[in-house]
Amino acid sequence: MIRYRTLTADEIDRELFRSFIRRQVVVKCWRRDGNGAWVIRDDPFVDDWSEGDYQTLVDCLRNTLRTGGMVCAAFADGALKGFASVEPELFGGAQRYLDLSSIHVSEDMRGTGIGTALFSMARDWAREHGAGKLYISAHSAVESQAFYRGLGCVEAQVYHRGHAEAEPFDCQLECPLT
């Protein structure tokens, strides 16, 4: 049985992620061609986190909570198997975006509905905190994009410059909350 709940800053440490498997084998990704159109290209790599990446994640998630954002998680038999975070600052003018700063499901639990449930929790929290849309700087892997598109996400009307510059291969998406 999967249990979902929000986390507190005190719970977020490296030990929380001991049973979490970030690994994602990527074969095909969405990329822009020379004319600016989105196309699928072969771009094989393995996406995984180093110890330094986990420490950065811990720091970022704690900061999200300290600044008034939300972190929710999924647990199976007491082990973390998924999490999502939403930042508290509205941006994008009339779009009224809140940033889905992370959403990840452990490799051993993908395809079980955890991601959809976490996305729903993030969407509800964003709506309750004044957002018109959830903003996602999303991994360009074909599987990741299929997940977001299946939840109603479309290309963002206004790009968050910081996200687009920091992750130029990410797809900038939005999800209407109405």
Side-chain angles (χ1 to χ4, degrees):
M1 173 183 220
I2 307 298
R3 297 194 186 278
Y4 298 91
R5 64 180 177 83
T6 57
L7 298 179
T8 65
D10 292 340
E11 294 176 277
I12 300 172
D13 58 19
R14 178 61 180 100
E15 182 62 18
L16 177 67
F17 297 93
R18 75 183 175 290
S19 299
F20 189 85
I21 307 166
R22 167 59 185 103
R23 191 170 194 274
Q24 181 177 2
V25 177
V26 178
V27 176
K28 295 186 180 289
C29 292
W30 286 95
R31 296 286 189 255
R32 288 207 188 265
D33 68 11
N35 297 318
W38 288 103
V39 296
I40 296 174
R41 292 213 174 114
D42 288 334
D43 191 6
F45 63 96
V46 175
D47 198 359
D48 209 345
W49 289 333
S50 68
E51 281 304 311
D53 293 331
Y54 275 106
Q55 190 54 56
T56 298
L57 174 66
V58 166
D59 293 344
C60 288
L61 293 176
R62 285 179 180 165
N63 186 64
T64 296
L65 292 172
R66 272 194 300 272
T67 59
M70 184 273 299
V71 179
C72 59
F75 293 88
D77 298 321
L80 179 73
K81 293 299 178 178
F83 63 95
S85 58
V86 180
E87 301 305 316
E89 301 287 326
L90 286 169
F91 67 95
Q95 304 304 317
R96 292 186 358 266
Y97 290 128
L98 280 181
D99 188 12
L100 179 74
S101 50
S102 66
I103 183 167
H104 297 281
V105 176
S106 186
E107 183 181 44
D108 58 324
M109 297 297 284
R110 292 183 191 140
T112 63
I114 289 174
T116 300
L118 291 170
F119 191 87
S120 180
M121 291 173 74
R123 190 173 43 215
D124 291 347
W125 188 90
R127 185 182 305 112
E128 292 165 9
H129 287 81
K133 299 176 182 180
L134 201 55
Y135 187 92
I136 308 105
S137 183
H139 197 291
S140 61
V142 168
E143 299 83 0
S144 298
Q145 288 301 302
F147 167 76
Y148 290 115
R149 300 293 176 159
L151 294 170
C153 298
V154 297
E155 187 168 358
Q157 290 181 15
V158 176
Y159 277 23
H160 182 288
R161 193 166 107 187
H163 283 313
E165 289 175 358
E167 296 288 349
F169 293 121
D170 276 8
C171 300
Q172 306 304 308
L173 305 175
E174 65 181 37
C175 181
L177 301 178
T178 55

